[in-house]
Amino acid sequence: GSFSDIKAIAPTEVVIHDHRPHLIVPGFIDTHLHFPQIQIIGSYASNLLEWLNTYTFVEEQKYKDPLHCQNMAKQFFNTLINHGTTTAAAFCTTHPNSVEAFFTESHRRDMLMIGGKVMMDQNAPLELLDTPKSGYDDTKMLINKWHGVGRQYYAISPRFAITSTPEQLEMSQALINEHPDCYLQTHLSENKDEIALAKQLYPDCNDYTDIYNRYNFLGANSLFGHCIHLTEKEIAIMGETKSVAVFCPTSNLFLGSGLFNLELFLKQKLPIRIATGTDIGGGTNFSMLKTMDEAHKILQLQNQRLSPIESFYQITLGNALALSLENKIGTFEIESDADITVLDSRATSTMKIRMETVKNIVEELFVLQTMSDDRSVVQVYIKGKPSKNLK
Ligand code: GUN
Ligand code: ZN
């Protein structure tokens, strides 16, 4: 409603924060990123598997140390807030204490977060491996401790088919059956070599998606990162099961993984549920605006369109819908949680000059999407509480 209408019905003691001329939007939602990869953003490699083996699996070993986890959790949530992101779905490491640090810090800030312990029991350094049993036990313990505590939600997180034995996928299936209200997050069809290796490891399965389907991974609470090279048959089953495909533009470009074909997903008889994520640290920027800037470019290369309004919708209510959290976040509806981001469209000298010719809100949103960085985020409210630059 208008300021004057709302002021007329607001209790007199309400404090007014005047953010004119800035834009007030629902806090951004990042549906796929890796908490322990904040310090390997921009690591030089020619493809996904080289990048994982050279940097990622080395970096994640540092999270054996609880102190390191705690320090990084502080930095991680500060960085999310600085970029206007108020909710995220994050992979932690195989170490339960990485999840402990993640949820402890998120809960302290009262942020709505989804997280989970990575499960992997093969094809990674020994120091990072769990076992089907320890992965199950640790996940169970963490779900019981954190799922539904305040605004914390658990995501059962087998990393991807390559790093899990059939026994571990079976244990993951047991966890999904025993905790149907938890999320599931994993990676699917990101890179051609990855797909070939997954099929080699699971020769009885028809395709990559079929590996996950056999263990009941597909469903409305399931988030599949990337989904770049899926066949029509794989896409159809994603639609039938209401699974979510997570588009991670900066990562897909940085790792040279491929171009996400949005149109193919949307033209299905049962359109696929789509979300977007940064995929930090394969992704190169925490900003969901920068993420949509790169999404726009990926779609441009395929002669596809996503308007500025659609992009802002995607990173707010669109991603909330993909997480089935639209009654809480991504919106200003009455009784929603009041996670709010305030944006300055004139935050840099170039934006200031550009804004002189902007004629309407759609143009202004596109300037923010294309030109802004964290300097545009002037304030972030978590459950109505100003939270930028809090320690
Ligand atoms: N596939 C399996 N693990 C990862 C990861 O950490 N990042 C990306 N981009 N893809 C993955
Ligand atoms: Zn990822």
Side-chain angles (χ1 to χ4, degrees), residues 31-34 48 89 91 158-160 184-191 194-195 208-209 212 222-230 238 243-249 251-252 257 260 265 273 275-279:
T31 64
H32 182 116
L33 85 170
H34 298 258
L48 168 68
F91 291 79
R159 185 174 207 127
F160 64 160
L184 172 116
Q185 58 181 357
T186 189
H187 297 85
L188 171 63
S189 206
E190 177 176 5
N191 165 287
E194 171 216 11
I195 297 165
Y208 198 165
T209 305
Y212 294 146
S222 299
L223 309 168
F224 294 94
H226 307 296
C227 299
I228 298 172
H229 307 286
L230 296 181
M238 297 264 316
S243 300
V244 177
V246 187
F247 179 15
C248 303
S251 169
N252 298 165
S257 302
F260 184 89
F265 286 89
R273 295 168 73 211
T276 51
T278 61
D279 192 31

Side-chain angles (χ1 to χ4, degrees), residues 195-247:
I195 297 165
L197 184 51
K199 284 184 183 166
Q200 200 182 313
L201 290 166
Y202 289 86
D204 295 342
C205 297
N206 302 327
D207 48 49
Y208 198 165
T209 305
D210 191 40
I211 303 173
Y212 294 146
N213 195 26
R214 293 207 185 189
Y215 296 94
N216 262 356
F217 280 19
L218 280 71
N221 289 342
S222 299
L223 309 168
F224 294 94
H226 307 296
C227 299
I228 298 172
H229 307 286
L230 296 181
T231 61
E232 296 254 4
K233 195 166 148 224
E234 291 177 280
I235 293 172
I237 186 136
M238 297 264 316
E240 283 159 27
T241 54
K242 302 188 169 61
S243 300
V244 177
V246 187
F247 179 15

Side-chain angles (χ1 to χ4, degrees), residues 140-190:
K140 192 112 196 146
M141 177 274 289
L142 290 163
I143 290 172
N144 289 333
K145 181 152 183 205
W146 285 108
H147 184 64
V149 172
R151 306 180 78 202
Q152 312 313 310
Y153 295 86
Y154 198 89
I156 297 162
S157 309
R159 185 174 207 127
F160 64 160
I162 290 175
T163 47
S164 285
T165 60
E167 293 71 36
Q168 180 156 77
L169 295 189
E170 228 168 78
M171 291 304 235
S172 303
Q173 178 175 6
L175 287 164
I176 294 165
N177 291 340
E178 291 159 20
H179 301 279
D181 55 332
C182 283
Y183 293 91
L184 172 116
Q185 58 181 357
T186 189
H187 297 85
L188 171 63
S189 206
E190 177 176 5

